[in-house]
């Protein structure tokens, strides 16, 4: 993972950065929550880099991206012949992260069936490879991220409370961008400066950025600046160039296919429900697994 500059002008972000070295120095598990695109991975990377483990491995596993059937082997590895297709021994992420840091990204998406094993691995720093008998000892520091309400996941019996408390020794909550407006223009300037094309923002454009809702948070801001740089015809970017509130034009005049309609409907519902997958699945009358699979397919588009 590439090291990135952290822009922090708002009181909340300044406070976090002031405490980051202290947080990083300990061995405690850290749970970083916040809406999608608020910078959870950036903070996780920074914690590792500031920690005594900085020269040891920093391993990330995206719990939402690994299919349920493969996740145990992804975490803990497997022995040769452990299951069909296990043609050789495989080292899992826990072992790769030994002496370093393991980032459990989107931890809320981990299957309930795997949670007892994960709890043991976090608690005892010990596990077995799939199909293996010998316990393997590791020394790993855990960072987790989630953009879901974990209290709700616990209440719905989707996430074990004991595991959550193990992972959430030091909680970090990243405010949505609309609640730390002081960061908006510095971030915009940073993204502008990072680009080969050199342009500036008009005063009206700055005002528009400050007033916008930023549902996609910093990631949305970054994408928007990039698009504006490409689309604007002048040195100065206007509110029109920013095209706020305008959805991506995609074959607007053609009749959409059922698949496209389904995709739009699902993404719209998800957005309306604040990215809460459990509620979205319920609302749409599909299982959380089906929803997860569909979202995974969309991500590939
Ligand atoms: N404080 C910051 N300064 C500069 N860039 C940032 C900052 N926070 C986030 N970014 C940038 O915004 C984008 C989104 O950040 P990141 O991937 O860490 O978000 P996330 O919270 O993990 O999102 P998701 O929940 O969707 O996985 C990245 O390109 C990242 O580099
Ligand atoms: Mg992330």
């Amino acid at each position: 993972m590439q090291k990135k500059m952290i822009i922090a002008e708002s009181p909340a972000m300044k406070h976090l950065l002031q405490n980051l070295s202290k947080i990083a120095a300990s061995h405690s598990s850290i749970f970083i929550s916040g809406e999608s695109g608020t910078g959870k991975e950036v903070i996780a990377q920074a914690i590792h880099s500031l920690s005594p483990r900085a020269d040891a491995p920093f391993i990330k596993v995206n719990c939402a991206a690994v299919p349920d059937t493969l996740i145990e082997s992804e975490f803990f590895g497997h022995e040769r012949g452990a299951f069909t297709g296990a043609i050789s021994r495989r080292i899992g992420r826990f072992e790769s992260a030994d002496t370093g840091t393991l980032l459990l990204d989107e931890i809320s998406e981990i299957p309930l069936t795997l949670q007892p094993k994960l709890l043991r691995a976090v608690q005892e720093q010990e596990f077995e490879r799939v199909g293996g008998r010998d316990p393997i000892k590791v020394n790993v520091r855990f960072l987790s991220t989630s953009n879901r309400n974990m209290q709700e996941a616990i209440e719905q019996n989707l996430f074990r409370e004991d595991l959550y408390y193990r992972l959430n020794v030091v909680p970090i909550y990243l405010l949505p961008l609309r609640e730390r407006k002081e960061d908006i223009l510095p971030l915009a300037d940073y993204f502008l400066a990072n680009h080969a094309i050199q342009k500036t923002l008009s005063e009206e454009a700055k005002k528009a950025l400050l007033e916008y809702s930023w549902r996609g948070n910093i990631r949305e801001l970054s994408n928007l600046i990039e698009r504006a740089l490409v689309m604007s015809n002048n040195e100065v970017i206007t509110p029109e160039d920013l095209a706020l509130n305008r959805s991506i034009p995609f074959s607007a005049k053609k009749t959409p296919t059922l698949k496209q309609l389904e995709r739009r409907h699902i993404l719209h519902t998800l957005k309306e429900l604040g990215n809460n997958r459990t509620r979205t699945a319920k609302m749409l009358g599909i299982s959380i697994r089906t929803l997860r699979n569909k979202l995974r397919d969309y991500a590939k588009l």
Side-chain angles (χ1 to χ4, degrees):
M1 221 182 279
Q2 209 185 330
K3 275 191 196 159
K4 285 192 175 155
M5 170 107 170
I6 300 178
I7 306 295
E9 293 297 328
S10 61
M13 283 303 285
K14 276 185 177 161
H15 180 76
L16 173 62
L17 285 203
Q18 275 160 11
N19 285 293
L20 213 56
S21 302
K22 197 168 64 188
I23 292 171
S26 81
H27 177 74
S28 307
S29 299
I30 298 180
F31 200 101
I32 309 167
S33 55
E35 285 181 13
S36 182
T38 47
K40 296 184 292 295
E41 275 172 75
V42 175
I43 294 298
Q45 167 74 63
I47 290 171
H48 172 73
S49 303
L50 289 169
S51 80
R53 296 166 182 258
D55 293 330
F58 179 54
I59 305 291
K60 174 181 138 177
V61 43
N62 185 331
C63 304
V66 186
D68 288 5
T69 46
L70 294 181
I71 200 156
E72 183 175 354
S73 150
E74 181 77 21
F75 273 27
F76 304 125
H78 61 243
E79 296 294 347
R80 183 175 169 198
F83 47 83
T84 320
I87 47 172
S88 58
R89 170 186 279 180
R90 176 175 183 217
I91 301 300
R93 302 290 171 122
F94 272 69
E95 244 176 299
S96 305
D98 191 18
T99 73
T101 308
L102 182 60
L103 171 58
L104 302 169
D105 206 17
E106 300 202 43
I107 185 71
S108 60
E109 302 309 306
I110 195 160
L112 198 54
T113 46
L114 189 65
Q115 292 180 22
K117 278 190 184 151
L118 180 58
L119 176 66
R120 174 176 162 233
V122 172
Q123 207 160 275
E124 318 283 340
Q125 301 258 343
E126 189 181 285
F127 60 90
E128 284 97 34
R129 294 192 193 110
V130 178
R133 253 171 278 147
D134 300 330
I136 295 165
K137 274 261 169 217
V138 286
N139 176 347
V140 171
R141 202 259 180 106
F142 293 96
L143 309 180
S144 313
T145 75
S146 170
N147 54 28
R148 282 201 29 202
N149 182 332
M150 293 304 289
Q151 223 56 56
E152 214 170 84
I154 291 168
E155 276 160 28
Q156 291 166 344
N157 291 323
L158 296 170
F159 206 88
R160 289 177 65 121
E161 195 167 19
D162 47 7
L163 177 58
Y164 179 57
Y165 287 124
R166 272 285 160 187
L167 295 173
N168 189 32
V169 178
V170 180
I172 292 179
Y173 171 63
L174 294 177
L175 281 175
L177 190 55
R178 63 187 166 276
E179 289 176 32
R180 45 173 158 126
K181 289 191 187 290
E182 298 92 337
D183 289 337
I184 296 176
L185 296 181
L187 278 164
D189 282 341
Y190 169 68
F191 294 133
L192 283 168
N194 257 347
H195 216 274
I197 312 170
Q198 294 297 314
K199 289 182 185 176
T200 54
L201 294 163
S202 74
E203 288 308 311
E204 296 77 33
K206 286 181 188 171
K207 194 160 167 270
L209 290 181
L210 287 172
E211 282 165 6
Y212 186 61
S213 60
W214 300 116
R215 283 171 174 275
N217 293 294
I218 300 173
R219 184 175 299 114
E220 184 181 10
L221 175 58
S222 163
N223 291 342
L224 206 128
I225 294 290
E226 187 171 339
R227 189 179 65 203
L229 280 168
V230 174
M231 297 310 285
S232 76
N233 296 317
N234 300 303
E235 294 280 286
V236 177
I237 295 170
T238 64
E240 290 69 44
D241 297 327
L242 292 171
L244 297 165
N245 294 319
R246 204 178 299 162
S247 55
I248 310 131
F250 95 93
S251 56
K253 289 191 196 76
K254 272 195 285 171
T255 306
T257 64
L258 273 179
K259 259 206 157 56
Q260 284 171 333
L261 269 185
E262 179 189 273
R263 176 171 184 269
R264 278 191 220 171
H265 183 54
I266 288 178
L267 294 180
H268 177 77
T269 310
L270 195 65
K271 200 170 162 187
E272 288 294 302
L273 295 177
N275 270 328
N276 184 318
R277 292 186 186 187
T278 315
R279 281 171 62 200
T280 303
K282 226 184 235 169
M283 183 81 102
L284 296 171
I286 55 177
S287 71
I288 178 108
R289 172 191 293 267
T290 304
L291 177 64
R292 201 190 294 161
N293 289 339
K294 285 185 186 295
L295 292 175
R296 192 173 299 139
D297 289 343
Y298 301 157
K300 285 187 209 134
L301 292 178

